[in-house]
Amino acid sequence: MTSASLPPGNGALGTGLYDSQNEHDACGVGFVADLTGQRRHDTIASALTVLRNLDHRGAKGADPNSGDGAGIVTQMPDELLRSRCEFDLPPAGFYAAGLVFLPAGPGRAVAQAGVERIAASEGLAVLGWRDVPHDLASCGNEARAVLPELAQLVVAGRAGESGLALDRMAYCLRQRADHELSLYMASLSSRTIVYKGMLTALQLEQFFPDLSDPLYRSAI
């Protein structure tokens, strides 16, 4: 690239390729990992401590108890799901799961039927839906007024796919559900899962009791 092709003020004798107009504020992000790769609940507890320490980075509106969003991503909590799901799960890595924001009332059954239709066309079988435990008292009035029904979708490949092949199929399902059903899935993966909501950093753990369960274990 020659100096003549650079934006004004960014020539060889100017300020370089940096342009302050491209600088933006960002939400707080923290990373916790067990360097041995061992999945432990302590990793979750440490991550939630990091999140609480980032409370100053979260925005709030007129309702100080409704945040603009907080969440956590971890490895798939296989032991937790096996102990809580009312349906059988294949071995870890051979199923994908994720948090889905479903419409309340009759719209929920319609949305679930739509997901199952798309899943079948992508070569996936819906193993079941799990209602995610949550504490309504742990979120603000504005968040409560628009709260969807929270469920975890669990799917598996009809031909026993696992790993990257299964994740590709799950990704297609997630994207199609968004475009065809206007349905938001926070995640859908065989490796990781997300818990999130219109919460403050201090509310996430209290809102989702799963996060305090000793069976919830992750290395990241």
Side-chain angles (χ1 to χ4, degrees), residues 87-166:
F87 47 87
D88 293 333
L89 295 176
F94 286 82
Y95 68 87
L99 177 64
V100 185
F101 293 176
L102 291 166
R108 171 170 178 162
V110 175
Q112 288 180 303
V115 168
E116 293 175 8
R117 171 183 56 80
I118 296 172
S121 70
E122 293 293 340
L124 294 165
V126 174
L127 300 181
W129 297 83
R130 176 192 178 230
D131 289 335
V132 181
H134 55 281
D135 180 10
L136 288 176
S138 297
C139 65
N141 291 331
E142 288 187 5
R144 199 175 301 118
V146 296
L147 184 70
E149 294 198 15
L150 305 173
Q152 285 168 338
L153 167 67
V154 185
V155 298
R158 293 186 178 276
E161 292 87 352
S162 64
L164 185 58
L166 177 57

Side-chain angles (χ1 to χ4, degrees), residues 8-64:
N10 282 356
L13 300 179
T15 58
L17 296 177
Y18 171 76
D19 187 343
S20 61
Q21 294 182 7
N22 294 325
E23 186 171 295
H24 303 283
D25 290 334
C27 296
V29 179
F31 299 90
V32 177
D34 186 313
L35 297 183
T36 68
Q38 182 179 358
R39 299 190 183 206
R40 302 184 301 154
H41 182 69
D42 288 348
T43 306
I44 305 297
S46 296
L48 293 170
T49 297
V50 171
L51 179 62
R52 288 191 293 270
N53 290 335
L54 290 169
D55 184 52
H56 64 287
R57 297 307 305 269
K60 301 173 185 177
D63 175 8

Side-chain angles (χ1 to χ4, degrees), residues 174-195:
R174 182 183 175 195
Q175 293 300 307
R176 287 186 59 187
D178 180 14
H179 293 294
E180 297 177 26
L181 307 174
S182 297
L183 191 65
Y184 178 69
M185 297 185 183
S187 66
L188 189 63
S189 169
S190 67
R191 296 173 295 173
T192 61
I193 200 165
V194 169
Y195 282 72

